Amino acid sequence: MARLAEGEHELRRVIDEGRDVDGLGERELLELYRSLILLRTYDERSLVYHRQGRIGTYAIFWNHEAMQAGAVHALEEQDWIFPSYRESAIGLLRGMPAATVLHWWRGHPAGWWNPADYNVASICVPIATQVPHAAGLAWGKKLRGEDGCALVFFGDGATSEGAFHEGANLAAVMQAPLVLFCNNNQWAISTPLSAQTRAEALVDKAAGYGMPGIRVDGGDVLAVFEATREAVERARAGGGPTFIEAVTYRAAPHATADDPRAYIDFDRVEEEKRNECVGRYERWLRDRGLLDDLLETEIRNEALEVMRRGIAQAEAEPEPDPELVFDNAYVLPPPNLREGWLG
Ligand SMILES: Cc1ncc(C[n+]2csc(CCOP(=O)(O)OP(=O)(O)O)c2C)c(N)n1
Ligand SMILES: [Mg+2]
């Protein structure tokens, strides 16, 4: 059974320790940077599109990009990703068009993709429900003798949900090849972590399920990559699930519908903004001579172009038929619907 060794509450870091990660050459390091910039650009543009009334309520993931890109880069194509609303654009890292994700936030049916096309499951808004889905898929892979694993993203608040417990326990008992990736941004909308749990650290929960836990700096894309790679290697080798707690601090509102002035610690937000994850990695790359102004501008422009095309494509899509809402909802529509809306 897994035990926590002393010192495991300490955050694993790479960038701040000035070290390198084995097995990452220039090409991989720049790919990781491209992914960070794509996600950052997606997020920043989405906030603008929301303000312009072009997408609906949007869950901002500014400064969560290192967790998302770092974790996904540790996976292979055959591995599955189970996102929450916070990782809504994760499909972009698997070649999904930006228009598809924008459709989703526009409430358009074209925003629902076939998960098997990208090995990216549907975005889950009900908290933690994706955890048992991912545990089931991972266990299924094991039963079929298939290569690969699943990685599920969820928040600190999700660890208080029954679905989290059921998924984590099932994965551990079945030794399913699953990575449980907790984005601990220390808030569940306005509920702070201190009101969420009495555990000293969320990583402590791993021991209760008999699985190893890793605690990592969520703003350090290289540390996240390294930690996830370790978990993925264990899963592939038949070692079962791993719980990763990636620690950060939510520097933006929960979503466009939230005003955090009523509850957030603004000094802490400012500190987080100064040390945000994209800039941290840029400085690391520049120190090593891998990034200069020219390359940065080129990569940022590419990402902006993806977004320009994406929103143009999303807005060119014809309005959906409103009756589609009911298409797969009822075998027999109730009388008020038949006579009123559908009549
Ligand atoms: C089952 C369920 N209960 C409540 C909600 C309302 N809700 C939406 S987001 C959220 C906070 C979740 O916080 P956390 O798990 O930390 O994820 P984060 O938003 O910080 O990424 C809640 C309670 C929901 N979507 N689903
Ligand atoms: Mg949270």
Side-chain angles (χ1 to χ4, degrees):
M1 286 288 125
R3 280 263 169 79
L4 276 176
E6 223 174 286
E8 282 200 50
H9 284 179
E10 265 175 38
L11 298 182
R12 188 187 290 211
R13 299 179 203 272
V14 171
I15 292 179
D16 288 356
E17 285 179 4
R19 58 183 181 94
D20 294 323
V21 176
D22 290 345
L24 285 184
E26 180 173 347
R27 191 175 57 81
E28 291 86 6
L29 290 168
L30 287 177
E31 275 308 302
L32 198 48
Y33 180 62
R34 274 179 214 279
S35 293
L36 277 182
I37 294 297
L38 184 57
L39 290 174
R40 171 61 55 91
T41 309
Y42 179 92
D43 186 73
E44 291 185 344
R45 293 310 299 158
S46 290
L47 190 56
V48 173
Y49 298 152
H50 171 266
R51 297 290 190 248
Q52 294 172 337
R54 300 162 87 179
I55 64 170
T57 301
Y58 171 69
I60 304 155
F61 59 76
W62 198 90
N63 201 34
H64 289 59
E65 299 91 341
M67 294 183 277
Q68 301 180 5
V72 169
H73 274 255
L75 300 176
E76 303 284 341
E77 292 279 302
Q78 79 269 17
D79 300 326
W80 276 68
I81 305 167
F82 287 75
S84 81
Y85 52 83
R86 191 70 68 206
E87 296 81 25
S88 66
I90 207 77
L92 298 185
L93 306 188
R94 284 276 173 90
M96 185 183 292
T100 304
V101 192
L102 291 166
H103 279 310
W104 195 87
W105 288 109
R106 284 165 63 80
H108 195 290
W112 271 264
W113 61 87
N114 177 357
D117 288 348
Y118 304 98
N119 290 350
V120 176
S122 306
I123 298 165
C124 271
V125 176
I127 306 301
T129 50
Q130 70 277 21
V131 181
H133 301 166
L137 184 129
W139 182 33
K141 274 192 170 287
K142 181 179 172 177
L143 290 175
R144 289 179 172 177
E146 284 176 15
D147 196 19
C149 63
L151 181 143
V152 57
F153 288 106
F154 53 91
D156 45 300
T159 63
S160 303
E161 288 281 353
F164 163 76
H165 165 70
E166 289 154 21
N169 195 55
L170 181 81
V173 168
M174 299 306 174
Q175 286 290 278
L178 179 67
V179 181
L180 294 120
F181 193 103
C182 179
N183 127 45
N184 177 6
N185 62 11
Q186 310 198 34
W187 291 96
I189 312 184
S190 55
T191 302
L193 187 65
S194 57
Q196 196 70 250
T197 180
R198 291 284 292 174
E200 237 177 81
L202 291 176
V203 73
D204 289 351
K205 290 178 188 266
Y209 295 107
M211 64 174 83
I214 310 176
R215 198 161 192 247
V216 63
D217 179 343
D220 180 337
V221 69
L222 294 174
V224 170
F225 169 83
E226 193 184 61
T228 312
R229 183 174 65 181
E230 200 176 297
V232 167
E233 279 169 3
R234 181 180 301 115
R236 286 199 206 295
T242 301
F243 181 92
I244 297 177
E245 178 191 2
V247 182
T248 180
Y249 191 86
R250 212 190 67 214
H254 167 74
T256 49
D258 174 42
D259 178 0
R261 278 176 301 185
Y263 61 86
I264 209 116
D265 173 352
F266 269 100
D267 290 339
R268 186 73 179 77
V269 166
E270 285 312 311
E271 187 188 320
E272 198 61 33
K273 283 185 177 166
R274 279 194 299 275
N275 204 22
E276 57 81 23
C277 65
V278 174
R280 274 166 86 178
Y281 188 46
E282 269 169 3
R283 290 191 289 278
W284 188 92
L285 288 172
R286 282 173 183 272
D287 281 352
R288 281 162 178 72
L290 296 173
L291 185 69
D292 57 20
D293 290 351
L294 199 67
L295 186 58
E296 183 186 335
T297 307
E298 184 190 310
I299 292 174
R300 285 184 183 269
N301 284 343
E302 262 170 37
L304 277 170
E305 191 46 37
V306 167
M307 294 311 295
R308 270 189 219 110
R309 275 201 310 271
I311 193 72
Q313 204 182 328
E315 289 181 330
E317 188 76 16
E319 292 273 310
D321 176 355
E323 290 190 10
L324 276 176
V325 170
F326 305 106
D327 249 15
N328 299 302
Y330 301 102
V331 174
L332 293 173
N336 59 338
L337 273 183
R338 257 177 299 167
E339 284 154 24
W341 182 261
L342 300 176

